[in-house]
Amino acid sequence: MKIIILDTYKKTPYRVSKDTNGGYGVENDLGSGIVAWTLSRIAKYSIFWPPLAALNLVSEFHALGESVKYTQSINDVDSSIDYLFLSVSIVNSNHEYNSLISLLKKYPELKIFAFGAFLPFDKERFKQAGAAVIIGEPEFLAQQIKLSKSNLNLLFAQGEITIQANDPDKLAPAHWAKHIIANKNYILGNFSSFAPIIASRGCPYSCFEYCTYPLQQGRKVRSMSPEKVIEDINLINKDSGATNFVFRDPVFSINKNYTYSLLEAMSLKLNGFKFTVETHLNNIDDNMAERLKSASVEWVKFGIESSSKEVLDNVSRYSIAQNEEKKNIQILKSHKIKTNAMYIVCQPIDTFETTKKTIEYAIDLKTDLAQFSMFTPYPGTPYYEKIKDTELTTKNFEDYTQFKLVYNHPIFSQKEARKILGDAYSKYYLSKLLF
Ligand code: SF4
């Protein structure tokens, strides 16, 4: 069989990532003003990796000995291809749909499977255009059915396939790096080769009210054994030379005992690597920070989201008290671990005053990096369901970049929201230059 995994991107001056934001993707147009403009350009040319689901699909077909190719170019498709797997996001959904239309116009016999966390909310359009849609994490397809030609033809004829969350330990060895160079991340990668990896999936925290990760991976945590994580890191390193890895787990240290064994295995068995993880500050203490440090975790990312308890409570964000946040950030710093905090502005009950205080709080926390984004009601989340009939300002889902206001805010206009976002970046990064 000849298989193509197509991960196509529209032309934009901004970085598009389809892997972040629970696989819905983001487009980093960071707000108005020169600082946000400059940071947008830096992001565009310094950080990229393909969606992990696409990479894992490459590994699954590779393990079966099939001819598989990952590409971002529609021009790599020709009449010899048997099956094409099309990666679908929210930020590029129209572009991906148009690619599907033009491919089927040129190759009407081509069997195209579309996949992606956002797809369940746009699936009819893709089905009507002639694709079969995969609902769920596509890399687990091989655990559900043997990926033979006859079975793929049957699945295609079915039109829609739902994949059950399955066992990460049974995923194929991560041989994708043989086929793909995904080493652009000069910021977190310290200018050396860089790759993504995932050890645990799923997040049980209450912020599923607005967050897309539980939609992509469920609320039950599923972890890969430390042995397989180490094996996959070594394989990716052997195939690509990557020594910097970003863990794509939504909350890296959610299960303490598991995290301790993983960190111990990393510190014993991996030498010369550097890691970035994303976690919840609730899971940080001296013991965890010490173990992170010995496992060569260089960067820890975490969500702060807002400095206002009312704003956080309004969207069921689970956060710890500010004195705890400050203490835990200090713990990370004292272990010489770099910190990257994430904030969401223009939340539903935010005011000029609360956003100002959030920016001041970000400056006060003095993390090494800070990222600000705009509150976005994503299809599939309970918050979206609440407001979808009355408050959305657009149903063009490519506008759901995480950096535009797409709902009627009681206070902010789009222009004001974009200015708040731009100001957040300017004030935060100028404060770092001055102090
Ligand atoms: S902690 Fe909240 S914001 Fe983070 S992944 Fe889990 S549900 Fe999403």
Side-chain angles (χ1 to χ4, degrees), residues 252-270:
F252 179 77
S253 47
I254 203 150
N255 174 335
K256 262 196 180 166
N257 289 338
Y258 166 78
T259 311
Y260 287 167
S261 15
L262 175 59
L263 291 172
E264 191 180 348
M266 285 161 63
S267 56
L268 290 175
K269 296 182 183 158
L270 298 174

Side-chain angles (χ1 to χ4, degrees), residues 389-403:
D389 295 327
T390 50
E391 302 300 337
L392 297 179
T393 52
T394 173
K395 278 213 175 174
N396 174 8
F397 289 124
E398 283 200 353
D399 283 339
Y400 289 50
T401 61
Q402 212 170 72
F403 297 91

Side-chain angles (χ1 to χ4, degrees), residues 275-293:
F275 299 97
T276 296
V277 304
E278 187 168 327
T279 190
H280 195 291
L281 276 179
N282 181 43
N283 302 318
I284 298 299
D285 55 21
D286 262 311
N287 195 354
M288 182 63 81
E290 204 174 312
R291 289 165 192 256
L292 287 165
K293 187 69 191 172

Side-chain angles (χ1 to χ4, degrees), residues 225-271:
S225 66
E227 293 71 31
K228 176 149 169 62
V229 177
I230 304 291
E231 206 175 288
D232 280 350
I233 289 173
N234 277 324
L235 277 178
I236 297 167
N237 168 258
K238 195 163 156 250
D239 288 342
S240 68
T243 51
N244 271 281
F245 284 79
V246 171
F247 275 92
R248 297 292 306 126
D249 312 29
V251 186
F252 179 77
S253 47
I254 203 150
N255 174 335
K256 262 196 180 166
N257 289 338
Y258 166 78
T259 311
Y260 287 167
S261 15
L262 175 59
L263 291 172
E264 191 180 348
M266 285 161 63
S267 56
L268 290 175
K269 296 182 183 158
L270 298 174
N271 281 319

Side-chain angles (χ1 to χ4, degrees), residues 61-275:
F61 284 112
H62 174 87
L64 295 169
E66 303 294 352
S67 158
V68 56
K69 177 177 169 135
Y70 164 92
T71 183
Q72 295 176 4
S73 170
I74 198 168
N75 296 328
D76 283 342
V77 182
D78 61 36
S79 55
S80 70
I81 305 298
D82 296 302
Y83 305 101
L84 185 145
F85 288 75
L86 177 68
S87 153
V88 175
S89 60
I90 196 167
V91 276
N92 267 1
S93 46
N94 294 337
H95 172 75
E96 289 144 354
Y97 172 77
N98 292 334
S99 304
L100 168 70
I101 300 282
S102 60
L103 278 169
L104 287 177
K105 205 169 167 194
K106 202 164 174 193
Y107 307 108
E109 300 305 314
L110 182 60
K111 293 185 174 63
I112 301 184
F113 293 89
F115 68 92
F118 166 66
L119 190 58
F121 310 99
D122 203 4
K123 66 179 182 182
E124 291 311 328
R125 185 162 71 131
F126 283 79
K127 276 165 88 170
Q128 277 161 23
V133 297
I134 297 178
I135 307 299
E137 296 160 289
E139 57 266 60
F140 292 99
L141 183 59
Q143 291 181 34
Q144 205 158 303
I145 190 163
K146 191 167 171 248
L147 295 182
S148 63
K149 204 163 186 170
S150 55
N151 280 345
L152 284 174
N153 289 345
L154 273 175
L155 289 178
F156 183 76
Q158 223 170 280
E160 180 168 336
I161 310 111
T162 300
I163 300 182
Q164 309 305 326
N166 224 315
D167 185 355
D169 267 348
K170 291 192 184 137
L171 289 173
H175 260 309
W176 57 261
K178 259 197 167 149
H179 309 265
I180 306 157
I181 306 290
N183 60 0
K184 202 160 57 159
N185 191 330
Y186 302 127
I187 297 175
L188 298 176
N190 280 345
F191 292 90
S192 62
S193 296
F194 150 90
I197 186 94
I198 185 162
S200 57
R201 298 158 190 257
C203 180
Y205 284 131
S206 58
C207 13
F208 72 94
E209 176 78 5
Y210 63 90
C211 172
T212 49
Y213 278 95
L215 294 173
Q216 181 193 35
Q217 305 173 1
R219 297 190 65 205
K220 190 167 172 241
V221 179
R222 288 166 291 145
S223 303
M224 194 182 260
S225 66
E227 293 71 31
K228 176 149 169 62
V229 177
I230 304 291
E231 206 175 288
D232 280 350
I233 289 173
N234 277 324
L235 277 178
I236 297 167
N237 168 258
K238 195 163 156 250
D239 288 342
S240 68
T243 51
N244 271 281
F245 284 79
V246 171
F247 275 92
R248 297 292 306 126
D249 312 29
V251 186
F252 179 77
S253 47
I254 203 150
N255 174 335
K256 262 196 180 166
N257 289 338
Y258 166 78
T259 311
Y260 287 167
S261 15
L262 175 59
L263 291 172
E264 191 180 348
M266 285 161 63
S267 56
L268 290 175
K269 296 182 183 158
L270 298 174
N271 281 319
F273 291 88
K274 297 270 182 254
F275 299 97

Side-chain angles (χ1 to χ4, degrees), residues 32 49 51 107 148 169 181 261 298 303-304 311 320 349 354 367 389 402 407:
S32 50
W49 67 88
Y107 307 108
S148 63
D169 267 348
I181 306 290
S261 15
E298 207 169 47
I304 298 283
V311 168
I320 53 176
I349 63 163
T354 55
T367 49
D389 295 327
Q402 212 170 72
Y407 70 108

